[in-house]
Amino acid sequence: VTQPILKILDTHVFITDGSMLPPIDVVIAQKFLEHSFVYPNPWLHASGRMPGTGEEVCHVSFGISPLGDRVYVDGLNVEKLYRRRGYASALLVQVARYAGNGEPLTVTPLHTISPSRGFWQALRAGHVDGVSVTCDVRVSEMEAEQERWRHALPNEMSERGR
């Protein structure tokens, strides 16, 4: 059982049309360190929960680039009852803010799948304030993506992350 390392309460984020995303509580916990895509940084898990009840409505796994310039996300999921209501966007905004210590980092999804492409396109088009999204990184591109930061790591860490 992983212990929460952070709890963000009652988040309010605006969509570009002026409406608000739903408030959520966000609990972040470390999943693992070894073999993390962003090694030597850990891979983390964020859970978006309903304020008051604590019911999980969405979750995502993520890791912060060792360069500190973006946050990689994978496995974004929203419970069926809560889909298309802004919970995934609210969670991603808070993950981006957490990753950048208050200033949101750019979000890079790992290998998006067909049903979610419209969602990611809307975020890339700027429909939600507070989050900037790049194109996804496919599995075949992950090693090349890691090369962006390998030069900044000590040799022993650079080799362990492979």
Side-chain angles (χ1 to χ4, degrees):
V1 175
T2 58
Q3 293 297 315
I5 57 174
L6 174 76
K7 187 170 185 177
I8 304 169
L9 297 174
D10 198 28
T11 60
H12 293 280
V13 178
F14 289 90
I15 302 175
T16 54
D17 68 4
S19 59
M20 284 186 8
L21 292 175
I24 57 172
D25 292 348
V26 178
V27 177
I28 297 175
Q30 183 172 318
K31 285 183 76 172
F32 54 85
L33 177 60
E34 293 294 322
H35 307 293
S36 164
F37 171 65
V38 293
Y39 184 84
N41 290 347
W43 200 248
L44 304 164
H45 179 82
S47 174
R49 299 168 186 253
M50 293 295 285
T53 67
E55 177 187 3
E56 183 178 274
V57 296
C58 54
H59 63 263
V60 69
S61 294
F62 70 98
I64 303 164
S65 156
L67 296 176
D69 64 340
R70 65 181 64 182
V71 58
Y72 296 93
V73 298
D74 187 42
L76 177 62
N77 187 55
V78 179
E79 295 298 323
K80 263 188 181 174
L81 182 62
Y82 298 99
R83 290 182 182 162
R84 305 191 64 79
R85 295 184 182 186
Y87 287 102
S89 298
L91 179 61
L92 287 175
V93 168
Q94 293 309 318
V95 165
R97 286 181 182 165
Y98 169 80
N101 291 317
E103 288 296 319
L105 291 185
T106 298
V107 173
T108 299
L110 298 179
H111 192 81
T112 58
I113 56 174
S114 294
S116 67
R117 291 219 170 97
F119 168 77
W120 291 109
Q121 287 172 348
L123 287 180
R124 275 194 289 280
H127 290 283
V128 176
D129 291 339
V131 66
S132 174
V133 178
T134 68
C135 290
D136 67 331
V137 173
R138 311 299 280 181
V139 173
S140 62
E141 302 165 328
M142 290 175 83
E143 191 170 327
E145 187 72 10
Q146 288 174 316
E147 289 300 321
R148 288 186 340 97
W149 61 76
R150 210 170 297 285
H151 71 278
L153 301 176
N155 282 341
E156 64 275 3
M157 285 186 171
S158 176
E159 292 303 314
R160 279 180 65 189
R162 288 184 184 232

